Amino acid sequence: SQQGEEDPQALSIQEGENATMNCSYKTSINNLQWYRQNSGRGLVHLILIRSNEREKHSGRLRVTLDTSKKSSSLLITASRAADTASYFCATGAGGYQKVTFGIGTKLQVIP
Amino acid sequence: ETGVTQTPRHLVMGMTNKKSLKCEQHLGHNAMYWYKQSAKKPLELMFVYNFKEQTENNSVPSRFSPECPNSSHLFLHLHTLQPEDSALYLCASSQVGGAVTEAFFGQGTRLTVV
């Protein structure tokens, strides 16, 4: 069953602007991960935040996690055309790291 | 290159055919996964193998049959598929137990059932 739900489902911005995507989930988690997928390709892991962390940075990416609201956000600063892709959040839980994905946010960065 | 290799990249098969998808990981991970990605749907977890043992089968029809001969290789055997089975099939691996790590994905096999 679907665990993470990304919002919005589609986002179109100009190059240089910031892009914010949100993710909500339903059950307790060990961690939350964000992935990027270019059209028809495999997913690439971007960043992982543990349930006891509130914020994490990696280059132009900033992720926040609010376990009380069961939500996370991914901020991409100073977007580039190459950031055009679908972005998925995934929640990790269980002893064998079952990872469940949402439907994704399709980001288009216009040059 | 993520260390997870899937073959073939594209596959067209008839409903009466039998084919297999292959996944190989060179990362030393102990868990492997099959996901199905259909248009406008969330990624669906199909099977999980942990230390070569199947630990999850998400109500997948029996026309999909997984095989994990060792912790580096994972197969998905296909037979008598339906057109609605056309999708991108993604394999992933991760290391479970101890520190939490991310899943690494292959490039996927684009399957078309005609």
Side-chain angles (χ1 to χ4, degrees), chain A residues 49-56 62-68:
Chain A
I49 186 167
R50 289 177 171 73
S51 58
N52 61 355
E53 297 176 313
R54 292 295 168 259
E55 187 171 315
K56 203 161 184 180
R62 172 177 169 253
V63 169
T64 62
L65 179 64
D66 187 335
T67 52
S68 65

Side-chain angles (χ1 to χ4, degrees), chain A residues 2-40:
Chain A
Q2 184 180 349
Q3 163 75 312
E5 292 189 19
E6 294 88 349
D7 168 58
Q9 289 194 11
L11 180 60
S12 183
I13 59 173
Q14 294 291 132
E15 198 166 30
E17 293 180 341
N18 295 342
T20 300
M21 288 160 270
N22 302 298
C23 168
S24 59
Y25 58 92
K26 297 171 185 170
T27 61
S28 296
I29 61 172
N30 293 336
N31 61 77
L32 188 141
Q33 305 172 36
W34 284 92
Y35 290 79
R36 183 186 73 227
Q37 183 182 34
N38 291 92
S39 181

